[in-house]
Amino acid sequence: MVRYAEPGAVEWVESGGGPLIAVPETVLPFWAGADGEETASDYDRACEVDGHVGLLPVGDCTALVLGDEPASTAYLPDHGMFVRWRAGDSEDELLASVPPAVDAAEWEPEVHWEVPGTVHLFDAAWPGSHLSGAEHVRVALEPGRYAVRAASAQPGPETWLGLIQLRLLARR
């Protein structure tokens, strides 16, 4: 986790070069990351996701893969959105650009994600059972079915971001 502004303002997760993944807390031990005896690791499966988002089975749940590029990512609960910092001079500038970026975004087709509750966002290479406080963000979500849509946006000449919006469709 990286902080670019005042402590506690926004928590950012970074990747070592691959995708980030949001895994439901209930199945974290089932995510092996780059570890494991299998020919294709969980991390390899996550790397195969084409595009901004994708879903992968983990245990008896599904995880959300944030693909495309390894950008610093934060969850903004007020917007129900993961924001990916692709370019920008400051965190304040980037965060201020989120509302206009949402309004102007050209959204990709949405996917539906069934969530049992809280998820953890982290580098897909890490095993879910070995997360420490500095490398993941806990995202409290209501259990239910979510519509997930993604877009890239350039709300300013030097500001580029990725948006992944979660909208609760039905509670469990």
Side-chain angles (χ1 to χ4, degrees):
M1 171 175 49
V2 177
R3 294 190 197 280
Y4 293 99
E6 295 296 318
V10 176
E11 296 175 328
W12 296 88
V13 173
E14 294 194 351
S15 162
L20 295 175
I21 189 160
V23 177
E25 192 168 69
T26 58
V27 294
L28 274 175
F30 296 106
W31 182 260
D35 295 347
E37 308 279 328
E38 303 297 321
T39 307
S41 67
D42 286 340
Y43 175 73
D44 293 329
R45 293 188 311 133
C47 288
E48 290 175 3
V49 168
D50 189 28
H52 293 102
V53 295
L55 301 173
L56 285 179
V58 178
D60 64 353
C61 293
T62 306
L64 179 69
V65 178
L66 283 60
D68 190 34
E69 64 181 64
S72 295
T73 303
Y75 183 73
L76 305 179
D78 293 347
H79 296 280
M81 183 173 310
F82 290 105
V83 174
R84 311 202 72 197
W85 187 336
R86 296 194 172 130
D89 291 332
S90 72
E91 181 181 66
D92 288 340
E93 177 184 303
L94 184 98
L95 295 175
S97 72
V98 170
V102 169
D103 292 340
E106 292 186 29
W107 296 96
E108 295 177 357
E110 63 186 35
V111 298
H112 292 155
W113 183 30
E114 191 71 35
V115 179
T118 298
V119 300
H120 290 257
L121 178 69
F122 57 96
D123 186 328
W126 289 100
S129 59
H130 293 91
L131 298 177
S132 74
E135 58 201 23
H136 78 286
V137 169
R138 188 173 187 267
V139 178
L141 296 176
E142 280 190 55
R145 184 172 176 81
Y146 285 80
V148 180
R149 64 182 186 166
S152 290
Q154 185 180 356
E158 303 296 323
T159 306
W160 295 48
L161 55 136
L163 305 169
I164 300 167
Q165 188 176 52
L166 309 177
R167 189 178 78 251
L168 183 62
L169 297 173
R171 289 180 172 74
R172 273 183 146 183

